[in-house]
Amino acid sequence: MKTGRGFASDNNSGILPEILKAISEANVKHAAAYGEDPWTRKAEEAFEHYFGDGIAVYFVFNGTAANVLSLASCTQSYEAVLCSEMAHIYEDECGAPEFITGCKLIPVEPIQGKLTPEKLLPKIKGTGNQHHVQPKVISISQSTEFGTVYEPAELLALSRIAKENGLYFHMDGARISNAAVSLGLTFREFTREVGVDVLSFGGTKAGLLGAEAVVFFNEHLANHFKFRRKQSMQLASKMRFVSVQLEAFLTQELWLKSAQHSNQMAKYLKEKIRSMKKLEIAYPVDANGVFAWVPKSILASLQEQFPFYVWQNGEEKDLVRWMMSFDTTQEDIDSFCQLLESKLVSA
């Protein structure tokens, strides 16, 4: 098993030192279980500070749960969720959204990872027809699975479509911190203020240990969420060790530190490889991922030393994904690029 740093996923990184310290500091005496503790209230207050009063926030263990339970709160089993055909909920959650909610996921072709009105609108059909699944949610990822980031105007356009058609608007924010840094905006400005109804707030990819949140801006969707969370086995008994991570993540601005670094490392890698012959950067590098077309012949030898994923197969080149983490270093990238250049000579 390879244990060195590579570029396969920001899930592969460890835990922020400040988070380990926060967990340790919460590990004192006894505290009430299931969220009835002061750490959980402080974490809720931190979310209210960032997103405003009148929200409802609940903590869960992982991103799949955050997404699935968000969608379950918005839908009935005869309804549908419209999402990118490359969305995490469609490609990488083992059918959990459909299994748990009973809903149908309707894939939409993305443009550079993003849903657009032109591609989305034709999929909103059959409303009121008892023979047709009923569209109910537009779900997007911010940042996207291709490392791109929706601008506020793009989000407003999708929100407008949702509201005009009686749909809810869900955001998978597994990498929301990277998006915030890329946009130079507060979390609230590109979530609540553009009409998002429910947000899956990610922490794990930014250096937390099994700590994510579901944030409701449309509060009536949260009416029964505490029961849904318990029934889905996502209510932590020792909640303080989840809550203290999210509280520290926000109040100490660890989200900012983590995302600034990983985004910067992605741009550093982009600049290092953009002049390399036989390589082609596939998408804008908005956040902490770099996608590039690389000759097939050199991939295996590169992956032996620096793990990464092949995203799409081509004829002579494959599309690969290189993800940066809070602990990626310039030395990691320099060593990788040195190896990459040596392999390209004979490709």
Side-chain angles (χ1 to χ4, degrees):
M1 180 188 299
K2 299 185 191 309
T3 57
R5 281 195 293 262
F7 307 103
S9 174
D10 35 8
N11 278 326
N12 290 13
S13 63
I15 305 165
L16 287 161
E18 297 92 337
I19 295 299
L20 285 173
K21 181 181 179 183
I23 293 171
S24 179
E25 290 175 349
N27 190 31
V28 293
K29 300 181 180 179
H30 283 206
Y34 303 111
E36 301 296 327
D37 61 84
W39 292 272
T40 296
R41 182 57 200 144
K42 287 181 181 178
E44 292 168 347
E45 290 172 352
F47 274 89
E48 290 166 356
H49 172 77
Y50 274 90
F51 291 102
D53 295 335
I55 65 169
V57 57
Y58 297 87
F59 307 139
V60 296
F61 299 125
N62 57 49
T64 296
N67 285 335
V68 171
L69 295 181
S70 293
L71 297 175
S73 299
C74 298
T75 55
Q76 300 292 332
S77 59
Y78 51 83
E79 292 174 330
V81 177
L82 291 84
C83 61
S84 161
E85 63 186 15
M86 294 303 296
H88 199 276
I89 59 172
Y90 189 74
E91 282 286 314
D92 296 295
E93 291 182 348
C94 197
E98 292 173 313
F99 177 70
I100 300 298
T101 68
C103 289
K104 182 181 181 67
L105 298 188
I106 299 177
V108 180
E109 180 187 1
I111 305 298
Q112 294 189 333
K114 304 177 187 181
L115 293 187
T116 63
E118 294 75 17
K119 297 289 186 179
L120 180 63
L121 282 168
K123 299 288 186 176
I124 302 175
K125 59 185 179 180
T127 303
N129 183 342
Q130 64 184 333
H131 302 289
H132 198 283
V133 66
Q134 298 296 290
K136 195 58 183 178
V137 181
I138 296 171
S139 179
I140 65 164
S141 301
Q142 177 76 318
S143 54
T144 76
E145 288 75 14
F146 290 97
T148 53
V149 170
Y150 286 92
E151 295 287 338
E154 295 172 310
L155 295 169
L156 283 168
L158 297 177
S159 176
R160 190 175 302 113
I161 290 171
K163 300 304 181 282
E164 289 174 352
N165 289 276
L167 311 183
Y168 294 120
F169 191 17
H170 166 252
M171 179 181 288
D172 175 356
R175 296 185 176 95
I176 190 171
S177 299
N178 299 96
V181 167
S182 177
L183 292 169
L185 298 175
T186 66
F187 291 132
R188 177 171 178 164
E189 287 175 312
F190 65 96
T191 58
R192 189 176 192 174
E193 291 184 6
V194 298
V196 172
D197 293 293
V198 57
L199 165 70
S200 301
F201 183 93
T204 306
K205 289 179 170 62
L208 306 193
L209 173 63
E212 314 272 323
V214 178
V215 186
F216 292 95
F217 307 117
N218 187 334
E219 279 194 287
H220 91 268
L221 292 175
N223 284 344
H224 306 291
F225 191 83
K226 63 181 180 180
F227 306 112
R228 195 181 300 279
R229 178 175 63 172
K230 176 66 175 180
Q231 192 177 63
S232 300
M233 299 167 284
Q234 286 290 318
L235 176 62
S237 53
K238 297 187 178 182
M239 180 71 79
R240 58 175 153 158
F241 298 111
V242 176
S243 303
V244 72
Q245 296 182 61
L246 288 159
E247 189 271 336
F249 189 60
L250 292 176
T251 59
Q252 298 180 35
E253 294 192 334
L254 301 178
W255 67 270
L256 181 62
K257 172 184 174 182
S258 174
Q260 282 178 334
H261 179 78
S262 55
N263 283 15
Q264 182 182 7
M265 289 298 98
K267 288 179 171 53
Y268 182 71
L269 176 59
K270 179 189 74 171
E271 293 304 316
K272 294 278 289 187
I273 68 173
R274 68 187 308 173
S275 61
M276 293 185 191
K277 295 180 180 179
K278 302 178 184 178
L279 294 184
E280 178 187 352
I281 296 175
Y283 301 107
V285 180
D286 292 339
N288 63 320
V290 179
F291 288 74
W293 290 98
V294 181
K296 285 176 175 288
S297 60
I298 68 172
L299 291 180
S301 58
L302 284 173
Q303 289 172 309
E304 285 178 3
Q305 296 187 50
F306 294 91
F308 58 85
Y309 289 116
V310 173
W311 217 245
Q312 182 180 330
N313 296 118
E315 293 185 6
E316 296 181 358
K317 295 181 179 181
D318 286 343
L319 180 64
V320 306
R321 185 188 77 166
W322 295 315
M323 293 302 301
M324 309 299 117
S325 304
F326 74 86
D327 59 354
T328 302
T329 67
Q330 287 192 7
E331 290 75 17
D332 294 331
I333 295 171
D334 289 341
S335 297
F336 173 65
C337 288
Q338 184 177 1
L339 177 65
L340 179 57
E341 284 186 298
S342 70
K343 299 295 182 182
L344 285 170
V345 171
S346 58

